[in-house]
Amino acid sequence: MSTGLDPAVRELLDRAASAPVPDRPPTAVELRAAFAASRPLPGLAAPVASVTDHWVPGPGGVLRVRLYLPAAPGPVPVFVWIHGGGWTIGSIDENEVASRAVCAAASVAVAAVEYRLAPEDPYPAAPSDCYAVLEWLAAGGAGPAVSPSRLAVGGESAGGNLSTVVSLMARDRGGPPIAAQVLICPVFGHPDDGHQSYVDFATGYGMTADAMRFFFAQYAPAASDDPYVLPSRARDLSNLPPALVLTAEYDVLRDEGEAFARQLAEAGVAVDVHRYEGQIHGFYGLYTDLPASPRSHAEVAAYLKGIFA
């Protein structure tokens, strides 16, 4: 049973509430710049053997992929990490702490993808980019230290959405086999689907219902029943990789994440679901000073170790 907001979360929200309110809604470009400027400074990051940026051919140009390698004998499995930000903001830089933590604790490579952002590049740019990186890794593009045949995907928020979309694409196209998907506070449906968490946590908890509507307007303004936009609309979820789904109690996306986990289980997919009580959207990769953040990194690392054992 929940005991309410984590005190550290309450303190974070109180600080955010004291920030000045703009006199008009920002554009996507302004929001992106403000997000980058206000991103919390990362705390202590786990040491890894190396961090290198690679430039990967993509469908719309060259993509940056940041590769974290553990201090472990290779070739090691690789965890493709897809950042959040409503397909509109964010970058691989915001998840430095989480990427290093999982790399070190699970002894896996982490390949963080810098995909194209909306509205300049709306759907299907983001999933197309992420799938291109998956194919690059499967073809051995990351070099001999990384096993091209042991791949998992994961992401937070929009990155969770893209992780499942990439898994659907790989299944549908006979693409690279994916060992698992790690889905953290993921987006699977539309803000108007009627989930109670969109009502209960519409404002005051960081991510708002209106922000999610804004992000959809940038990314897929004619939001359809395309499962590559809204995985909850997929008619067939069978033969997808096993999934770890982490949700936050005080998050507009909580109910759709847990509902989609049930959809996966009904389709015969092995699913582990864990709701982080007292937490808000972003507790995993963005707000890494929260006490729950390192616990979630450890859970993801343990899950990946089990998958690749």
Side-chain angles (χ1 to χ4, degrees), residues 1-291:
M1 185 173 181
S2 174
T3 56
L5 271 175
D6 181 326
V9 171
R10 170 52 64 197
E11 182 181 344
L12 185 156
L13 292 173
D14 287 346
R15 288 198 305 269
S18 66
V21 178
D23 55 7
R24 60 170 176 79
T27 65
V29 172
E30 291 169 341
L31 189 64
R32 198 176 297 151
F35 178 77
S38 65
R39 188 172 62 234
L41 292 174
L44 292 175
V48 296
S50 66
V51 182
T52 54
D53 283 356
H54 297 254
W55 302 97
V56 178
V62 177
L63 303 168
R64 184 169 63 141
V65 176
R66 181 164 294 165
L67 186 68
Y68 301 81
L69 289 178
V76 295
V78 59
F79 180 43
V80 182
W81 177 254
I82 307 173
H83 71 80
W87 312 277
T88 304
I89 64 176
S91 73
I92 57 179
D93 295 325
E94 76 199 46
N95 296 144
E96 181 81 8
V97 171
S99 293
R100 283 174 169 266
V102 170
C103 173
S107 293
V108 299
V110 175
V113 183
E114 191 101 294
Y115 54 89
R116 287 173 290 168
L117 298 175
E120 296 88 345
D121 293 290
Y123 174 81
S128 299
D129 289 353
C130 295
Y131 191 77
V133 172
L134 183 76
E135 291 188 309
W136 175 76
L137 289 164
V146 175
S147 173
S149 61
R150 293 190 292 165
L151 299 162
V153 297
E156 188 170 27
S157 193
N161 168 283
L162 292 169
S163 298
T164 292
V165 169
V166 165
S167 298
L168 285 165
M169 294 168 73
R171 182 201 65 180
D172 297 345
R173 299 176 182 182
I178 297 173
Q181 43 182 334
V182 174
L183 312 170
I184 300 163
C185 298
V187 187
F188 291 129
H190 190 270
D192 297 329
D193 283 353
H195 289 294
Q196 187 61 37
S197 56
Y198 257 93
V199 177
D200 294 344
F201 313 119
T203 61
Y205 298 94
M207 173 63 72
T208 68
D210 283 346
M212 283 306 307
R213 292 187 175 91
F214 171 84
F215 290 139
F216 267 99
Q218 310 308 305
Y219 177 61
S224 66
D225 288 339
D226 183 345
Y228 290 175
V229 176
L230 304 173
S232 64
R233 306 297 200 265
R235 295 181 180 180
D236 179 14
L237 293 173
S238 62
N239 300 312
L240 287 180
L244 172 65
V245 181
L246 305 185
T247 63
E249 181 183 9
Y250 293 88
D251 182 10
V252 292
L253 300 175
R254 183 196 71 192
D255 290 354
E256 69 189 71
E258 294 172 5
F260 189 74
R262 293 190 292 272
Q263 286 182 256
L264 287 172
E266 290 164 3
V269 177
V271 184
D272 292 325
V273 186
H274 182 187
R275 178 190 292 185
Y276 275 70
E277 304 291 350
Q279 301 305 310
I280 58 170
H281 194 85
F283 75 90
Y284 175 87
L286 184 60
Y287 305 122
T288 54
D289 284 341
L290 292 176

